[in-house]
Amino acid sequence: MKVYSISGRLARRVALLVGVALTVIVALIYATTAMLMENKQATERAEKINVIQYVAREYAARGGPAEVHRTMVASAQKRPGTRLDVRFADGRVFYADPDEAAFVVGDDDRREPFIIDLTAVGGERLQATLALNCVHDTQMMRSLAWFLFFVPLVGGGVVGAGTAWRVKRELRPLQQLAQQTQGISADRLDQRLALPVAAAELQPWLVQFNALMDRLQAAIEQLDAFNADVAHEMRTPIAALMGHIEVALSRERPAGELRETMAMSLEELQQLSSLVDDMLFLSHADRGARARRGAPRSLRALAEKVVEYHELTFEDA
């Protein structure tokens, strides 16, 4: 028979369910955070692009493309963490941030192309690109991913351990019932199962088990009484049979006396046979079986049998 632990199995299943639920939750948290981070970066790039376009138009109106170039050079230090690259339509460089640490961006950083239109002041439509350094955001998202990765593992483990501990505490009444059951033996059939506070789920089991013990105790007591009665009833014919045989063997007897002794012994044996039939009848009746399966017998035959059974008693009386 395969044996398993209820607390262990329940703990593993609860831990698995909690782990799956936490995995779904942390995945949603990470996806939401990544979306909000992307929106923040896009908003920041859009604000900086709007500022660059506004400043370019203002200074182009004052001094043309050359003034725009001088302004971009002067205001470059005010844009740390970004890199601006502006080119003519044919690819020639109009302006590019210097290769300094303040303007270095990674290959995976976000780049946003846009147009600087200087045609109104005699210039050209410039192709510009603004790159935003997102290394801090990337590091934060990577740290968040590692943290969220361990949340389902730790959460599932903690919940599983707590579930196992709690289930073991809740199953203590079953251990108490097992100990009480071990105390029941053949000479202590009056013992019954009981709990100070029984759970509603255990109450039907307690009632049914105690009722079963009541029936078992009554059956054994009835069997003991039946055995005592049978022994008492069989003692008389056996003693009479032994007495007849001992008297017959005490000395030489004529054939007539031996025949009479054998007849009396036969009557005693018939009584024993009738007693054995009664024992079988009661045994079948106690088990709920039909004690008699043949056709009904006449009351006269039964009465004659009873009279014959008590014939010796009547003669002695």
Side-chain angles (χ1 to χ4, degrees):
M1 180 180 61
K2 185 177 181 181
V3 179
Y4 66 92
S5 172
I6 295 178
S7 59
R9 173 177 289 187
L10 185 60
R12 289 191 296 271
R13 292 185 177 181
V14 172
L16 179 60
L17 291 176
V18 172
V20 172
L22 289 178
T23 301
V24 174
I25 292 174
V26 299
L28 292 176
I29 292 175
Y30 184 83
T32 303
T33 304
M35 182 182 64
L36 293 176
M37 187 68 68
E38 182 68 25
N39 292 337
K40 180 186 78 69
Q41 295 172 358
T43 301
E44 185 177 356
R45 290 195 304 270
E47 290 176 353
K48 293 183 179 296
I49 289 173
N50 289 334
V51 171
I52 293 173
Q53 289 176 334
Y54 174 78
V55 170
R57 288 193 299 269
E58 290 293 323
Y59 282 89
R62 297 179 185 179
E67 187 66 21
V68 174
H69 185 272
R70 285 194 299 269
T71 302
M72 289 183 176
V73 173
S75 62
Q77 299 299 327
K78 298 179 181 180
R79 294 183 288 99
T82 62
R83 184 174 184 84
L84 178 63
D85 185 84
V86 183
R87 296 177 180 271
F88 292 102
D90 56 4
R92 291 179 295 112
V93 177
F94 176 80
Y95 170 82
D97 286 331
D99 293 333
E100 298 177 2
F103 306 101
V104 174
V105 294
D107 295 334
D108 57 344
D109 291 330
R110 303 300 182 182
R111 287 173 168 76
E112 187 76 19
F114 61 98
I115 300 297
I116 299 177
D117 191 359
L118 301 181
T119 56
V121 292
E124 301 181 14
R125 288 173 58 88
L126 303 178
Q127 305 289 336
T129 301
L130 178 67
L132 184 64
N133 191 338
C134 301
V135 62
H136 298 294
D137 295 342
T138 302
Q139 292 176 353
M140 187 186 71
M141 292 300 297
R142 187 178 294 111
S143 301
L144 178 63
W146 278 108
F147 173 77
L148 295 179
F149 173 77
F150 287 104
V151 167
L153 300 179
V154 176
V158 171
V159 172
T163 302
W165 173 77
R166 190 60 190 175
V167 170
K168 288 182 179 179
R169 287 183 58 88
E170 294 298 330
L171 291 180
R172 284 183 179 177
L174 294 179
Q175 298 176 356
Q176 298 176 4
L177 293 178
Q179 295 175 356
Q180 295 179 16
T181 304
Q182 292 177 354
I184 299 176
S185 59
D187 55 345
R188 298 184 61 186
L189 293 177
D190 58 336
Q191 298 293 322
R192 298 294 182 269
L193 300 183
L195 291 174
V197 179
E201 293 79 6
L202 293 179
Q203 191 63 30
W205 294 92
L206 292 177
V207 173
Q208 293 297 329
F209 183 85
N210 290 334
L212 174 63
M213 291 303 302
D214 292 337
R215 295 192 297 269
L216 180 60
Q217 183 180 7
I220 292 179
E221 290 177 352
Q222 183 179 3
L223 181 61
D224 291 340
F226 176 75
N227 291 335
D229 293 339
V230 168
H232 179 73
E233 292 293 334
M234 293 183 67
R235 182 181 302 172
T236 300
I238 290 176
L241 181 60
M242 292 175 62
H244 295 158
I245 295 175
E246 289 175 354
V247 171
L249 295 177
S250 63
R251 59 184 177 85
E252 292 293 335
R253 300 285 182 178
E257 291 184 8
L258 292 176
R259 187 178 295 107
E260 183 180 356
T261 301
M262 293 179 64
M264 296 175 63
S265 300
L266 179 60
E267 290 181 358
E268 298 297 337
L269 289 174
Q270 290 176 348
Q271 292 183 10
L272 286 175
S273 178
S274 177
L275 183 59
V276 171
D277 292 339
D278 294 338
M279 292 173 59
L280 292 175
F281 176 87
L282 294 176
S283 175
H284 292 164
D286 288 341
R287 293 199 301 266
R290 295 178 58 185
R292 181 154 23 114
R293 301 180 183 274
R297 300 172 61 182
S298 65
L299 292 177
R300 178 178 178 179
L302 294 176
E304 291 177 351
K305 185 176 180 180
V306 172
V307 172
E308 182 182 358
Y309 178 78
H310 296 285
E311 184 178 358
L312 294 178
T313 306
F314 294 156
E315 292 178 357
D316 294 340

